[in-house]
Amino acid sequence: MKRIGAGVFGLGLAALVAFVPWPEPPRPATPVPQLLLAEGLGFQARLVAPQPRLTALPAQVTGRVAADSSGEGYRHEWPGFHASARFAGTGITLRFDDAVNRWRVILDGEAVELSRPGRQDLRIEGLAPGPHVIRAEKISESWEPALFGGFFLEGSAAALPPPEPAPRLIEFIGDSDTLGFANTAERRDCSEEEVYAATDTSRSFGPQVAAALDADYRMVARSGIGLLRNYGGADPERTMERLYPLALPGDAEATALPQRQADIVVIALGSNVFGSSLAPGERWSDPSQLRRDFAPALADFAAARMQENPGAQIVLLAFGEYGPELVEAHRSASDLLTAGGIANRLVVLGDPKRNACLWHPSAADHAMIARTLIQALTAPDSGGSG
């Protein structure tokens, strides 16, 4: 498009050609390589067929998961799953059965990335002898369950105790804005593959807050989801009220593995409720009715999370750009919690620029949200809404 100022139509052709087009924002690189290796790595990495006779390595695992029927590994679907381990040796193997996700594997501070590895092992070799720390983190959004089989050793490699868990755990409950939908993109018009390439949950505001507060994070989030209703009124039987108890949204029968209680719970579930028009057939006729129902529903949802995580700090996160109905509903929910003896903080965000894919928060927006939450969480406790 041309850069056209006031009075441009009174200029001649010679003046018009002096205007230069705005540079097009870069598109996320697609297709995503199945295995992406950085230059100068201190090891070699390759995808291979599943290897027999390996020894499983104990790991520190964070995220909603279910046991696999084989008895090995972790079935996962909610975003932000990550696992860490320690070992001594010159090589290690990671096992996947995953045709839907992107992964980052960090070994002694150096990273490789995988995309849709399928049923393969990632074999890492050429390490210097001695102790090593490895972390595997899912950075994409899943729309069906997949398997991380775990870490495995062979030969003379020796297992070391997994890393100690962080002193605190923060659970972030939300939607696409929470999980980092296309957060590394620099443009709003994106294809489905470009969204996949640009999504990096590990760089969303939640992990940034956790890192700043010496905490780990657990993510329970899904694009388009809301508390009472989803975006546009879609899938009314699959709101967060219905899906939150499930280990795997795509397998209601899966049994969740035990998980650590959260010390802080951040709930951001109003954007899709108030950010789209009511559809024919929904039970609300106008936003004011929705606001009246949302406030007690949010308070009840937050109270239930407190029961599951006794002593946790509750934070209600409101994306204020979705309008006064959303903000007032959150204020009412905060007041209801306070009246019920549940201390909480209400954090109302300013206006993120939302210049990532499909008007989602960009990396700069996520950094702003993280700063706002860190400030709220480290401020003196007021004993009520903030």
Side-chain angles (χ1 to χ4, degrees):
M1 65 185 287
K2 295 286 185 185
R3 201 173 167 186
I4 299 177
V8 71
F9 295 107
L11 299 176
L13 180 60
L16 279 174
V17 297
F19 285 88
V20 294
W22 287 109
E24 278 287 307
R27 288 192 175 279
T30 53
V32 181
Q34 190 175 51
L35 180 60
L36 182 62
L37 303 175
E39 293 184 6
L41 287 175
F43 54 83
Q44 298 84 49
R46 57 196 172 96
L47 287 167
V48 298
Q51 302 296 292
R53 297 182 296 277
L54 300 181
T55 302
L57 176 63
Q60 174 70 40
V61 174
T62 306
R64 287 279 192 85
V65 292
D68 186 59
S69 58
S70 68
E72 285 188 352
Y74 309 92
R75 296 181 69 213
H76 55 86
E77 186 174 354
W78 294 107
F81 169 86
H82 51 280
S84 301
R86 296 173 63 246
F87 67 100
T90 59
I92 188 169
T93 297
L94 291 76
R95 180 152 297 164
F96 297 91
D97 188 356
D98 185 347
V100 295
N101 287 299
R102 291 173 59 225
W103 291 83
R104 181 178 296 112
V105 176
I106 305 168
L107 179 55
D108 298 338
E110 296 185 313
V112 300
E113 292 191 5
L114 294 85
S115 174
R116 300 177 177 128
R119 186 174 172 78
Q120 294 192 90
D121 286 356
L122 176 67
R123 180 62 188 160
I124 296 177
E125 299 171 306
L127 295 167
H132 303 280
V133 179
I134 189 166
R135 174 184 172 99
E137 51 189 24
K138 180 173 68 172
I139 60 176
S140 60
E141 180 176 11
S142 304
W143 286 99
E144 60 185 71
L147 176 72
F148 174 66
F151 305 102
F152 293 86
L153 300 176
E154 64 180 13
S156 60
L160 297 176
E164 288 292 323
R168 293 191 291 176
L169 176 69
I170 309 175
E171 179 168 284
F172 295 90
I173 308 172
D175 51 34
S176 56
D177 291 347
T178 296
L179 66 86
F181 181 101
N183 53 337
T184 68
E186 299 177 19
R187 60 188 304 133
R188 289 173 174 150
D189 60 313
C190 301
S191 67
E192 185 175 339
E193 275 298 294
E194 287 168 342
V195 169
Y196 171 77
T199 298
D200 188 343
T201 297
S202 72
R203 296 176 181 173
S204 62
F205 65 81
Q208 293 182 54
V209 172
L213 300 182
D214 192 22
D216 199 356
Y217 64 90
R218 180 168 61 228
M219 195 82 64
V220 185
R222 198 167 179 86
S223 288
I225 204 165
L227 184 60
L228 288 182
R229 65 188 294 266
N230 298 330
Y231 185 84
D235 297 325
E237 299 302 313
R238 294 180 65 78
T239 61
M240 186 60 84
E241 283 185 309
R242 306 293 182 90
L243 294 189
Y244 181 87
L246 303 182
L248 306 172
D251 182 359
E253 302 304 316
T255 301
L257 292 177
Q259 56 184 334
R260 176 182 173 185
Q261 290 183 356
D263 300 282
I264 302 171
V265 179
V266 179
I267 305 171
L269 285 172
S271 299
N272 287 312
V273 175
F274 292 94
S276 62
S277 300
L278 292 166
E282 292 193 77
R283 67 177 189 265
W284 306 278
S285 60
D286 61 66
S288 63
Q289 290 182 347
L290 184 59
R291 174 176 56 80
R292 287 193 297 270
D293 286 353
F294 181 85
L298 179 57
D300 288 346
F301 183 85
R305 306 292 75 78
M306 175 64 87
Q307 287 185 333
E308 296 165 352
N309 305 278
Q313 184 175 5
I314 300 295
V315 179
L316 306 182
L317 182 62
F319 283 77
E321 72 268 27
Y322 286 105
E325 296 285 356
L326 179 147
V327 174
E328 287 307 311
H330 279 75
R331 292 195 190 283
S332 297
S334 178
D335 291 342
L336 287 169
L337 287 170
T338 302
I342 299 177
N344 65 96
R345 289 187 182 274
L346 171 62
V347 178
V348 180
L349 295 171
D351 293 340
K353 296 187 182 300
R354 292 188 171 272
N355 50 12
C357 297
L358 308 181
W359 292 81
H360 279 81
S362 65
D365 292 331
H366 279 272
M368 176 274 289
I369 297 167
R371 289 192 301 269
T372 304
L373 275 172
I374 292 166
Q375 183 178 15
L377 289 167
T378 55
D381 189 359
S382 63
S385 60

